[in-house]
Amino acid sequence: MLVFRGSGGLRMTKFVFVTGGVSSSLGKGLTASSLGRLLKSRGLKVTMCKLDPYLNVDPGTMNPGEHGEVFVTDDGGETDLDLGHYERFIDESLSKMSNTTTGSVYSNVIAKERRGDYLGKTVQVIPTSPTRSKSVSVDWARSVPTS
């Protein structure tokens, strides 16, 4: 997901989603990175986030032969290699919040259920997981500096 804002009088935030199949190495990360670079070269403020369907909590435990090397952000987040491409292409430092996996969403939902945050209600995959995924994305977008 790319997020960009115009400069000068145009400040509206826009989102671009680059999606594709589950297969890695299809070029989605490089395509998104290149698009981010093009938008930035037009004077727009650009940042990026990756939402992965994997049940792994973070890419640090994933096979590098299948998914590439782990990229470590400045704040210590173990993320997908695509975040390294994003940082290099758009020349912006990203954080561990810039990478979310389905496993991290499920882990959060289960932890909340165990603490009693759902007040004894039945927790189901739908709508709980998509709602949490949306919440993570919104929290990330709000954390992006506006200047």
Side-chain angles (χ1 to χ4, degrees), residues 4-14 39 42-45 146-147:
F4 62 94
R5 292 186 175 92
S7 58
L10 181 62
R11 293 270 184 214
M12 183 168 284
T13 300
K14 302 287 183 180
L39 291 168
R42 301 288 298 183
L44 301 172
K45 169 85 175 139
T146 58
S147 56

Side-chain angles (χ1 to χ4, degrees), residues 1 48-59 62 78-80 83 86 95-108 129-130 132-141:
M1 169 175 30
M48 300 178 77
C49 177
K50 185 167 185 187
L51 305 171
D52 272 323
Y54 311 121
L55 290 178
N56 303 68
V57 173
D58 64 58
M62 295 168 65
E78 293 180 351
T79 68
D80 188 282
L83 261 72
Y86 298 168
S95 73
K96 59 184 165 189
M97 283 185 66
S98 298
N99 185 238
T100 299
T101 65
T102 299
S104 67
V105 170
Y106 280 19
S107 180
N108 178 275
S129 293
R132 176 65 190 149
S133 295
K134 179 180 174 185
S135 174
V136 167
S137 298
V138 169
D139 290 347
W140 169 79

